[in-house]
Amino acid sequence: MKHCWMFLLGMLLCANLCAQNYSDEVSLVQMDGDESVTLLATATGEKKKDAADLATKSAFNALLHSGVEGVKNGVAMMASEPKGFTYRFFSESRYISYISGEVETTDTEKIAGHQRVTVRVTIRLKSLRAELLRNNATLNPGWSDAKAVNATAALTPTIVVVPAMKASEGYSFAAMRAKVEAGQLYRSVIDQVTSKFQDNGYKTRDFISQLQNSTTSSLLQSDNQTDDATMLVQQLPGDIVVTVDVSVVGSGNSNECTLSLRAVEKQTSGNLATASFPGGRYMTKDSIRLATYAVEKIQQDFFTRLDQAFQDMVSKGREVFIEVGLSQSVTEWDFDQDSPGTGDFFKDALDEWLRAHSFQGVYDMSNSTAKYINIRLNIPLWNTEKNRSYTLSNFGSEVRKFFKEQLGDDYKATVTAMGQKLVIKVE
């Protein structure tokens, strides 16, 4: 009996370690070349020591899996890892060997009976990189030896798991937060599904932490209500948004939970994978336990289909439309003249720019006049050199630079994004 209790205790401890949710509140303080990096990380725990330990681990987790803004263009160290590496790295306290000096606690705050702690930690990058290579982990370009890698990066999209929302509930962050906080069911399911993605080598963003820290967010304060779920999806972190719907049905003590997962690409809301996983009937009314059975039914095939669909979408790019027009106030110049800023014929310069910036050279600007240009082109979904998504905002920035160069100080181009279209007015 004693051995049985010890075994159960060990299983519980293992489950807690496997389900550990790391904080994504990690920021760069200083980087010393490829030798070391100093980070600030914040986490919450029942005791100060627990919170400080979790914050320290979160700094490593962000560096390894999700990337830190300002460190190697925000690219994570690992593109893929051997099975169980992250679990062993933290559970066996291997990460401590790669800390330089002491971990400094810079701030503590008590919130709702818990301790919120911020630490400053310096990580020895060169030694950590060697550890990853010893364990046959695949490093992302920028972290690898430049002589040993190709210019293209592995596709490692970031996943965020959120509750599925109905029109009657609303699509705002406030509505989503209310659904998560209404009970423990969705909070537990999101944690477990997120862990499933981590176990399959995906980088994840902690959606629940974002909701908890969104009290001062302008998105939450404005509480914008909309019947367009796409608006919310595009405001979420990550490259792929996975919505989770939980349904518990049954009679008496015989009940079953079914999880419905739908993965969409954030920028286009294009469907990547959809599946339902019934957990089976059990003689219990405990919805969290029933949901756990359903999570255990999630098949590897779902992750395989998701990978393939995302890579197919990346390989084709996405279509964007651009409308370029002249303001009524512009009377002495039009698109059939030389550019005021460079002296080049404007339409020729635009044609060359589109050829260079369109994905696989797919573009068309044949529908144009002296005062109006209609453009259709494909742009990439993924920046393979930086190993991160390429957004319409990124493309819009490139468009602004082109028009600023061509127009000089005489005119100004206003670029407005409207869904998958850019509207440009020259004033």
Side-chain angles (χ1 to χ4, degrees), residues 24-41:
D24 61 1
E25 293 185 69
V26 180
S27 60
L28 173 66
V29 176
Q30 178 181 326
M31 189 165 182
D32 184 16
D34 290 330
E35 293 296 323
S36 66
V37 62
T38 301
L39 304 173
L40 281 181

Side-chain angles (χ1 to χ4, degrees), residues 203-408:
K203 298 180 294 183
T204 62
R205 292 293 299 273
D206 187 351
F207 166 72
I208 291 179
S209 288
Q210 181 187 353
L211 284 184
Q212 291 172 336
N213 296 329
S214 63
T215 307
T216 58
S217 166
S218 59
L219 286 172
L220 188 58
Q221 288 176 340
S222 61
D223 192 20
N224 294 326
Q225 297 292 330
T226 172
D227 59 358
D228 187 359
T230 302
M231 294 290 290
L232 179 61
V233 167
Q234 291 176 343
Q235 293 170 347
L236 288 166
D239 304 302
I240 295 176
V241 177
V242 178
T243 58
V244 181
D245 185 53
V246 185
S247 174
V248 179
V249 297
S251 58
N253 287 328
S254 178
N255 296 282
E256 179 179 38
C257 176
T258 298
L259 294 184
S260 297
L261 305 183
R262 181 172 183 261
V264 300
E265 193 278 321
K266 186 178 77 169
Q267 298 176 53
T268 62
S269 292
N271 186 46
L272 299 174
T274 303
S276 294
F277 301 98
R281 285 191 170 273
Y282 291 89
M283 298 299 291
T284 179
K285 294 182 179 180
D286 187 335
S287 58
I288 294 179
R289 181 184 299 178
L290 292 168
T292 299
Y293 293 138
V295 170
E296 292 171 353
K297 297 292 185 180
I298 298 177
Q299 301 294 318
Q300 182 62 40
D301 177 63
F302 177 79
F303 301 103
T304 302
R305 285 187 287 116
L306 175 58
D307 283 339
Q308 186 59 54
F310 183 76
Q311 292 184 43
D312 288 345
M313 187 173 287
V314 168
S315 68
K316 296 174 183 177
R318 61 170 170 150
E319 194 172 52
V320 170
F321 299 90
I322 304 176
E323 291 183 0
V324 189
L326 292 176
S327 169
Q328 295 290 339
S329 62
V330 179
T331 58
E332 298 181 357
W333 182 81
D334 60 39
F335 301 133
D336 282 336
Q337 298 182 32
D338 293 341
S339 299
T342 64
D344 299 327
F345 184 65
F346 178 78
K347 284 187 178 177
D348 285 350
L350 178 59
D351 186 78
E352 287 295 327
W353 187 89
L354 290 171
R355 182 177 290 110
H357 289 77
S358 58
F359 187 57
Q360 298 178 346
V362 178
Y363 74 98
D364 176 35
M365 57 171 284
S366 58
N367 183 13
S368 65
T369 67
K371 298 184 181 297
Y372 173 82
I373 302 176
N374 184 279
I375 303 167
R376 178 192 61 79
L377 78 160
N378 281 15
I379 66 172
L381 279 169
W382 197 260
N383 186 326
T384 54
E385 291 183 359
K386 295 183 177 180
N387 194 33
R388 61 186 183 189
S389 59
Y390 183 78
T391 66
L392 191 60
S393 176
N394 297 142
F395 179 69
S397 295
E398 298 295 327
V399 171
R400 290 184 182 90
K401 292 176 184 176
F402 168 79
F403 274 89
K404 184 175 182 180
E405 179 186 11
Q406 296 297 319
L407 299 178

Side-chain angles (χ1 to χ4, degrees), residues 32-54:
D32 184 16
D34 290 330
E35 293 296 323
S36 66
V37 62
T38 301
L39 304 173
L40 281 181
T42 303
T44 302
E46 291 186 4
K47 299 179 180 179
K48 287 184 180 180
K49 185 179 183 305
D50 296 336
D53 288 346
L54 180 57

